[in-house]
Structures are given as C-alpha cells and as structure tokens.
Amino acid sequence: MPTLLHIDSSIWPAEGSASRDVAATFRKEWEAQHPGGEVIYRDLSAEPVPHIDAAAYTAGAEHPVRNELADELERADAVLISAPMYNYTIPSTLKAWLDQVIILGRTAGEHPSAADTPVVVVASRGGGYGPGTPRADFEFVTNYLEKVLTGGLGIKELHFIVPELTLARVVPAMADLVELSDASKASAHEQAGAKAKELASRIAA
C-alpha cells in the first residue's frame, strides 16, 4: 500500500496552526483513499532533528540520523510538508530537516533518489505576500522551498497550497481582512482534499 511522509513544522498545536489544519485535511483524504496504507509522521516542533554539523555533513549517508531521514523520504510515495512563515521564511526546524536529508550522491546529485516523489507543501502566512502585494518581496517560503526541493532533492512534481491572512481574526488591524482570510483558508482546505484524492488515486493506479 502507498506510503505518505507527513512533516509538520509549526510551533503551534493543530487548533492554532493553519498549516497543520490544512495538512490534516490532506492527510485525512489520503488515508480515506488508502485505509491500509502507511503514514510516516514527523512533528519537527515536538521532536526536532538536530541541526547539521561538520561530522554529519562529512559522514553523509553513513550518519545514522541522515540515513534514517533519507530512508523515510525514499520509502514515501508522496510527501506532505506544512511550512508556516516565521519572520518571512520557514521554521529553522524544517531547514534542519532539509539540511540533513539532502545528501549528495544519494538524495541529491546526478541521480536523486526521490526525484519522482510528488511533494505537496502547505505554506501558510499571517499576512498577504502574493505577487503585486506590498510585501511580495518579503516572501522567502515558497521561493526558497521551490529552489531547495527541485534543485536540492531534484523533485519533479511540487505543489503549493497557500492559506493567507491567517492572523486576521487575532490582529485588530486586520479586522477588515477576515472575510478574505476565511475564503483563503476554505480554498486551501478544498485544494488539500482534492490534491490528496488526485495523488492517491494516481499512485494507486
């Protein structure tokens, strides 16, 4: 049965995290399509992987942590990553996972071992950073992840689901954006469910 690698990186629990919430919709639909399948789950906030050091970098795939993470990536038929925006970029815990799992000669390089694995990223952000917005050039989540996942891991199929304005209900100055925030989140849930169903069906076939 198909295997999903699910990685959460928000510091907040599910009820306070848009990225976890939308990723949960994807996972629920995936599991509905594959009730007997396997989900490899990593909560990088609850159990962060160590930041890479010289010994781990030098050892490459021979390092136990890096080898374990690479094994999980290679076993997966699809990867789901929740990546909230913190200070305009991804959480440091997610960066640590990427640094550990990108191994030249195995998951990276001329023949990256997970290149054909589709990856879905739920990239939430408290404000609006889309093209044409005043803070568009502050966006270093999707821009960075697109480069590191396609360039570093050689991923050929990458999808972003982006719930925006997630702070509208808690920041008084954003009160007039609540309707747009709710619409963005609803759309993200719809996209997550549809993408999970589409990928699950395709992989099963």
Side-chain angles (χ1 to χ4, degrees):
M1 293 294 289
T3 296
L4 174 69
L5 173 59
H6 177 188
I7 297 169
D8 274 330
S9 61
S10 172
I11 61 174
W12 304 109
E15 59 270 19
S17 168
S19 64
R20 285 183 185 269
D21 190 33
V22 173
T25 293
F26 181 103
R27 177 170 168 175
K28 182 178 180 180
E29 183 59 44
W30 174 277
E31 290 179 321
Q33 298 295 317
H34 298 300
E38 179 185 9
V39 176
I40 303 169
Y41 180 61
R42 282 195 174 268
D43 185 336
L44 298 179
S45 178
E47 297 183 15
V49 300
H51 287 280
I52 198 164
D53 57 21
Y57 185 87
T58 302
E62 300 303 315
H63 189 273
V65 171
R66 304 192 76 190
N67 182 61
E68 179 182 3
L69 297 176
D71 279 344
E72 291 175 353
L73 177 64
E74 291 164 348
R75 283 168 53 198
D77 295 286
V79 178
L80 170 65
I81 300 173
S82 72
M85 177 186 281
Y86 294 159
N87 298 316
Y88 311 120
T89 190
I90 63 173
S92 63
T93 52
L94 181 53
K95 177 63 163 60
W97 179 83
L98 288 164
D99 287 341
Q100 295 281 14
V101 83
I102 297 174
I103 304 171
L104 189 62
R106 182 172 174 179
T107 61
E110 189 175 356
H111 301 290
S113 57
D116 293 323
T117 305
V119 175
V120 176
V121 177
V122 178
S124 64
R125 64 279 304 274
Y129 296 84
T133 62
R135 289 200 164 189
D137 60 347
F138 283 74
E139 207 285 335
F140 299 103
V141 174
T142 60
N143 288 342
Y144 169 72
L145 288 175
E146 180 180 10
K147 296 295 186 290
V148 76
L149 291 172
T150 60
L153 290 172
I155 298 300
K156 299 175 183 177
E157 182 178 351
L158 175 61
H159 306 277
F160 286 102
I161 298 171
V162 185
E164 290 196 307
L165 307 170
T166 62
L167 291 177
R169 287 191 172 273
V170 297
V171 176
M174 297 177 66
D176 60 338
L177 298 174
V178 167
E179 187 174 341
L180 288 174
S181 170
D182 290 348
S184 179
K185 190 171 184 180
S187 176
H189 279 288
E190 183 178 350
Q191 292 175 58
K195 182 55 65 177
K197 187 173 184 179
E198 184 261 315
L199 284 179
S201 299
R202 189 197 331 154
I203 290 168

